[in-house]
Structure formats: C-alpha cells, structure tokens
Amino acid sequence: MRHRWRSRLLATPLLAVPVVAAVLLAGCGIPEYTEVRVDGQGPAPGLPTGSGGTQTPASRLDERNNTESFVENFLQAPAVEAERAVEQVREFVAPVHRDDIRVPNPEVVLTVVRLRERPQITRAEAGVEEVALTVQQVGLLRPNGALEPLPAQEPEFTEYTFRVGSVVGEQGKFIFDPPSVLLLSEDALKSFYLQRTIYFWDTSQRALVPDLRYLPAAVPAERRRTVLLEALISGPSNWLASAVQALPSGLRAGGNVPDTGDQLKVTLVADAAASTDERQLDRLAAQLMWSLGQGNFSNDLELTIQGQNPKVFRGADLRAMNASEALAETPERFAVYQGEVHRLSSSARSGEPVPVLTEEVNRDVVAAGFTRAGGGTYAALVVRSGDGQRLVTGAATGAGTSFDTSTRAFGAIGRPVWLKTPGDVGLIVADGGLYSFRVGTGAVEPVTIPGVDGAVQSVGVAPDGHRIALVVGGQLYVAALGRDDKVEVLPPRAVPTSLSEITQVDWVAETLVVVAGTNPDGRVTLYDVTVDGAIETRSLRDLGGASVTHLAGYPANPANQVPGAPASVGARMYVANGIPYDIFEPSEQIRLEEVEGVDLAAAAESGTDDVAPSAPFFLY
C-alpha cells in the first residue's frame, strides 16, 4: 500500500515533550533564570527577529546518516513562502512518491504539529526504516500567515507513519509513503517564521484589535511589508471575524510597500464603491502604521488612494490611536494584606496612596482590580460578607468617588478584571461561572460561553479589551467579545498546549498569555503561550507540586517594541501554595517589608508578621 500514513486518536496521557526553553532563552541572550531586576517588560524567548538575512530550512542532503535529524529536517521543509512549500517537501520524497505530494486547492495549507516524544524509528527491512511520529496537531497555517484551528472532525492527538530509505543511484535518504498533508513542526515555526501582528478596528471603531500572523523568514526583508499588507487585506482570523471590521470593501494593494527610512509609503486601489472619507482615512492610516510600521513611530506614513492626492500622517499621531500604547513600562503593583489593599514598594508611584479606595471601603478585601480609563480610575473589590463574598465597585472621576455593592453574594469570587475602551465594565469568575459587572449599577450579570461546558476557573482580558483568555474545566480558550449593549463572549477557540490541568491565565503581551498548569512530566509550571497555542515557552522555575491559585499579568507596551528585536512580554505575579511571587523581583517572593503602609514592628508584636500578602495585582 503506497499511503502508509495513518491518523488515529490517542487515549494515552501526554508523553514527555523535549524542553526547549533553555535553548530559546539562550538564543535571546538572557539566562533562563535571571537575577537581574526588570521593571515591566522583558524579551520573549524564542522569537526570531528577522533583522538579518533570510533564513531557510535545511536541505535533504544536510543530514545523510542520522535518521532522526533527517526527519526533523523533513518537518522543517515547508517553512518557506507558500508557493514554494510543496516543492520543498517533494525534495525529501522518493521520486516514485513525489506525485503523492500534490498542490492543495485552493491554497497551500501546512499542518503544524508538536512532537509529544522523539520520533520512533524501527528497522522495517534491509536499508529501510519505519518512522512513527506521535504528535499534537496545533492547527493549519494558511498562506496569509493565520494559524487556524483544525476541522472539528480532526483529532488533536494523532500519529503519522512513513518509511525512510535510500534510492538506487541517488545520494542521501528519502521519504517513502509520505503523509498526505504538509507537516510543519512547532520547532520549525519558531525557527523559520517571524511573529507579526496586524490590526483590525473593532465593530464600534474604538479600539485596534491585534491579530497574530506568521511570516516566513525566507521572505526578503524588502517584501515583508507588502506580504503583511496582503494579509491585512485578506481579512481577520476566523475567531476574531465577528468582533472586528475588515478593511473597507473594495480596497486592494496598489504595489509594493517601500520604506524610505523616514517614511512608510502605502498605495491602495479603491473600487468605485469603496468609501474613504476623512475619518476612515485616519483610522485606515493607524491600522496600516501599526500593522506595517514594525514599531517605528518616529517615521511618517504617506497613504495614497489611487486617483487621489497622497496624504501624510505623523507616526506619533497614529501611535496614539491604539490605547495599548499607554501601557506603562513599570506598572503599578498592589497586594492584599490583612483584608486591605496596599501598594507594593516595587510599584510605579511608590509612596502614593492607594487610588480610589477610602478607609471605610478598604476592609475585608479578598482580591481586587484597578484600571484607569476615560479620565477616571476604577476599582473592583471582592469582599467578605456575612453570606459569602460580594463585589464592590467604585470610580474616582471629576464627579467624585462612589461605590456600589453587588446585590448577589457568591461562595467564591476570583480576581476582578476590567475591559478597556471604555473602562467601566469588567468580568469576574464566581462559583464556576463567568459574570460581567458595570460601575454604578451593583448588578452582576451571567455571561454565556457558547459551545463550552465546565466550570470556569480563570479569565484574563487583553489590552484592547475585545479579547479574553479563559480556563474552563482545565482547558485553555481564547475568545473575542461583543461589546454593544452588554458583554457577549463570541464562540471560543480552544488553545492547544502541552499543559494539562490548567488553573490560571492572564495576558503578558498583545498576542501572548501566561498560563499555570501541569507539564508532561507532571510538574506545575508557568508557560508563555501564543493565543493560537503554536508556540509555548516555559517562563518560570519548575514549581513542582505547588498549587497556583492566583495569577496576574501586565502586558508589554507594543509601541515600545524595538524594530527587529524579539517581542517583549510584560510582568507577572502569582500565588503558589499561598505564597505570593513577582517574577521580575530579585527574590521573587513578595515579602511583608515590600507592602507599603504596614507597621512592621506592630505586626511583629501582634504575631502577624509571618502572614503573607495575598492576591497581588497590577493597575491595568
């Protein structure tokens, strides 16, 4: 039988996955565990910069003796521009089977896989070896750089088999009976693709919503902006499509996108039906600059709609149109101690009073969340009450400060999180359900998560306020939000990761979340995971059997990204086995002496000096 590949559902638990974090961190020039203090952001490990020459995968003849290395190179083969991917894979396949690798219709799609163990290689016959790949199928990489989920009927965990041998009169090894899909390994995605973010306006046109794309590093530097423009014109990823607007109908690229060094020039062709009034042009310019400018807002953008005069936009003005550019380099940090919210000494604005809260309100606190938006500062407190826990919300605005207590009590409420643009609405997880709240009402409304069953354990909000990450029944999801009259969770996307028993999640960059869960070795750890699950990197020490009950992230400011440098990630604080930690602090553990406003002598005298702070969080 010529097609010997097979795909079957695996019921066994996750097997060991090679740990790549140390290598990736070393590749970024920082140690895995640094003792250096970082206030706010640090580089995300493992992301290729693309600042140098092009990167291409190994050829078939680069590994002639070691079959495992040959297979690894085979899984890198399609990591080139889409139109070349099929031929690159065919080079590895025995001539008699090359016609089995056909050009997909209507587009070249790569199946991204994460190896769950090393390739299993056995001798089948003289000079021929059989290879079995046990994988987690992560998703389908499309030519526009979007990684979309597998079709519903495809198993997440599967196995592919094929043979490796020699061909008479030819040098090196070849693949026999190749898989019928184009396989791309997670490691190849890390090594031969650039992570890039393109942006779409939400349906109310108040916020730019990021969309993660993968650009082959083999694309010449001078063509990368043009490829990203084509991706932008192709529209948003499927999971975001209902929450954002595509480019105005009838717009298409009018040629390459050059960068003269001091000006980004974009030419578009508009059909007769395309509407491009002044306000739309401003929004379109911001969208283009954030998507194509590679973080260089010192340059201007010259936008030409064919048939119209060019219009020049200042990069600094376009930067300000994305609310995420206001994210602080050093965030404000807080924690709860003895039922009160306190500022931490590592916080920005150290020494200032805790915002919004009055002495009467700041008591019996279990967890809290602060945000600033629209000229006001907002606070949400989870407080103990006689019948359980309630939510108290308040706002400090020009009209003064006022507080409301929820009319409903719960057995347990998680850390409150706020939705940006505007900032007076938030989310909580309470008694296994997801709820929204709004300042000034006292109401807590249930929020439905379509198509997902199980107890909700954690929720985190992206800096744009139109995407969330969720943990439901130990599984990680991301979802876009509808933000019209009320908060609506649109159909979620399951995020494949090698972690199991996930408990907590939050955002540390526009397209990156930090997740607490159990790794394939049975150890609790924190991973940084892209929103599509394609790339995951261990971010902390092995936590062993610790239970992570609380996790708070602070996203990196995307406008501070250095062009060509690895993407930045923000700060993280968490609680494991009842002890609070800050990953960017030298000692990591948040100690009582770091909690401002605490009388250490009085605490020692009362015997409460060994009580740890709890529920650390950022003003976000």
Side-chain angles (χ1 to χ4, degrees):
M1 183 175 65
R2 295 182 65 183
H3 294 283
R4 298 188 62 247
W5 68 279
R6 66 179 184 272
S7 174
R8 59 182 176 82
L9 187 65
L10 301 178
T12 55
L14 284 174
L15 300 171
V17 175
V19 177
V20 297
V23 175
L24 296 175
L25 285 161
C28 288
I30 59 174
E32 184 179 6
Y33 309 127
T34 177
E35 295 299 323
V36 178
R37 167 76 174 269
V38 180
D39 283 331
Q41 292 91 5
L47 307 184
T49 69
S51 57
T54 59
Q55 296 170 277
T56 55
S59 73
R60 181 180 62 83
L61 295 177
D62 283 348
E63 186 53 65
R64 305 188 186 193
N65 299 316
N66 186 289
T67 301
E68 183 172 338
S69 297
F70 172 79
V71 170
E72 291 172 356
N73 290 346
F74 171 64
L75 297 177
Q76 297 175 359
V80 293
E81 296 176 83
E83 59 269 23
R84 296 171 48 211
V86 173
E87 288 306 314
Q88 286 286 109
V89 173
R90 281 175 173 164
E91 287 295 318
F92 279 78
V93 175
V96 68
H97 291 297
R98 282 179 182 166
D99 287 344
D100 296 341
I101 308 296
R102 296 174 182 169
V103 179
N105 188 26
E107 59 183 8
V108 177
V109 176
L110 310 183
T111 300
V112 179
V113 295
R114 175 177 294 128
L115 295 179
R116 303 172 72 207
E117 60 180 6
R118 295 174 61 177
Q120 299 301 300
I121 301 169
T122 56
R123 181 174 177 178
E125 54 191 87
V128 177
E129 295 169 303
E130 183 168 288
V131 177
L133 301 178
T134 303
V135 303
Q136 180 182 32
Q137 300 195 110
V138 176
L140 302 177
L141 184 62
R142 301 197 177 279
N144 66 0
L147 186 75
E148 301 289 3
L150 295 168
Q153 68 273 17
E154 285 289 324
E156 179 181 351
F157 301 108
T158 195
E159 183 180 276
Y160 292 96
T161 64
F162 49 86
R163 293 179 300 148
V164 173
S166 58
V167 173
V168 176
E170 299 282 353
Q171 294 183 340
K173 299 176 182 293
F174 289 89
I175 302 287
F176 294 82
D177 303 320
S180 63
V181 295
L182 302 178
L183 297 179
L184 180 75
S185 69
E186 174 196 24
D187 286 345
L189 190 66
K190 291 175 181 176
S191 300
F192 301 108
Y193 287 81
L194 312 173
Q195 290 188 37
R196 291 292 182 261
T197 306
I198 60 176
Y199 294 82
F200 295 90
W201 286 101
D202 76 295
T203 53
S204 65
Q205 298 186 336
R206 292 183 298 187
L208 282 170
V209 180
D211 193 359
L212 177 61
R213 298 301 169 96
Y214 296 92
L215 180 67
V219 175
E222 62 271 15
R223 286 196 57 241
R224 288 173 184 167
R225 291 179 182 85
T226 304
V227 173
L228 288 173
L229 177 59
E230 293 168 353
L232 194 62
I233 292 171
S234 75
S237 297
N238 290 338
W239 71 286
L240 295 175
S242 298
V244 300
Q245 293 182 339
L247 260 62
S249 176
L251 284 182
R252 63 185 188 275
N256 290 332
V257 182
D259 186 344
T260 64
D262 59 357
Q263 196 172 72
L264 180 66
K265 295 187 176 184
V266 179
T267 300
L268 298 174
V269 177
D271 291 345
S275 174
T276 53
D277 61 30
E278 287 298 314
R279 291 188 62 190
Q280 275 190 314
L281 279 179
D282 289 345
R283 288 191 290 266
L284 177 59
Q287 189 175 4
L288 291 169
M289 192 66 173
W290 276 91
S291 299
L292 312 180
Q294 299 185 3
N296 191 352
F297 294 96
S298 62
N299 287 357
D300 293 336
L301 168 68
E302 181 185 282
L303 175 59
T304 302
I305 306 295
Q306 199 167 72
Q308 303 177 15
N309 293 327
K311 184 174 180 180
V312 176
F313 299 83
R314 291 181 64 246
D317 295 338
L318 300 178
R319 167 177 170 150
M321 293 180 70
N322 184 350
S324 296
E325 69 90 26
L327 288 164
E329 183 176 353
T330 301
E332 296 184 54
R333 293 168 163 90
F334 302 87
V336 176
Y337 178 72
Q338 296 290 78
E340 297 180 356
V341 176
H342 292 261
R343 191 183 291 272
L344 297 177
S345 60
S346 57
S347 171
R349 303 192 181 191
S350 176
E352 293 187 13
V354 172
V356 185
L357 304 184
T358 63
E359 186 176 340
E360 292 74 24
V361 171
N362 193 10
R363 59 179 62 184
D364 299 320
V365 179
V366 177
F370 293 160
T371 193
R372 289 194 182 98
T377 303
Y378 301 88
L381 306 177
V382 178
V383 299
R384 298 183 186 89
S385 65
D387 52 357
Q389 295 181 357
R390 291 180 183 268
L391 186 70
V392 175
T393 57
T397 63
T401 302
S402 59
F403 297 93
D404 297 280
T405 301
S406 65
T407 56
R408 179 173 178 179
F410 295 89
I413 303 176
R415 178 176 63 90
V417 294
W418 292 93
L419 304 181
K420 296 285 189 178
T421 58
D424 62 344
V425 179
L427 296 171
I428 55 170
V429 172
D431 293 348
L434 183 66
Y435 296 83
S436 68
F437 60 87
R438 187 182 297 272
V439 169
T441 66
V444 178
E445 303 288 346
V447 178
T448 300
I449 306 173
V452 176
D453 296 322
V456 184
Q457 298 160 265
S458 179
V459 62
V461 178
D464 53 90
H466 289 74
R467 300 169 299 149
I468 59 173
L470 292 158
V471 179
V472 183
Q475 168 69 49
L476 178 62
Y477 297 88
V478 292
L481 296 178
R483 297 284 305 276
D484 293 332
D485 296 331
K486 62 178 182 178
V487 177
E488 177 190 7
V489 176
L490 301 174
R493 171 178 178 167
V495 180
T497 118
S498 59
L499 293 176
S500 60
E501 299 175 5
I502 296 172
T503 59
Q504 297 288 321
V505 65
D506 207 359
W507 296 75
V508 289
E510 286 188 314
T511 57
L512 196 71
V513 296
V514 58
V515 182
T518 303
N519 69 16
D521 297 324
R523 312 285 288 180
V524 175
T525 188
L526 300 187
Y527 275 31
D528 286 340
V529 181
T530 51
V531 291
D532 50 23
I535 296 179
E536 57 182 23
T537 305
R538 192 177 70 175
S539 59
L540 285 181
R541 292 190 176 106
D542 187 339
L543 302 179
S547 174
V548 178
T549 55
H550 179 96
L551 177 63
Y554 188 87
N557 187 328
N560 292 340
Q561 173 67 38
V562 177
S568 294
V569 297
R572 315 163 186 80
M573 296 190 291
Y574 64 101
V575 175
N577 284 356
I579 305 298
Y581 297 90
D582 186 334
I583 186 175
F584 285 131
E585 286 300 291
S587 64
E588 288 196 1
Q589 184 175 337
I590 301 173
R591 303 186 184 278
L592 185 57
E593 53 266 29
E594 299 172 51
V595 181
E596 295 185 353
V598 173
D599 187 332
L600 296 178
E605 185 175 340
S606 65
T608 59
D609 57 335
D610 61 348
V611 177
S614 63
F617 66 98
F618 302 95
L619 189 153
Y620 166 42

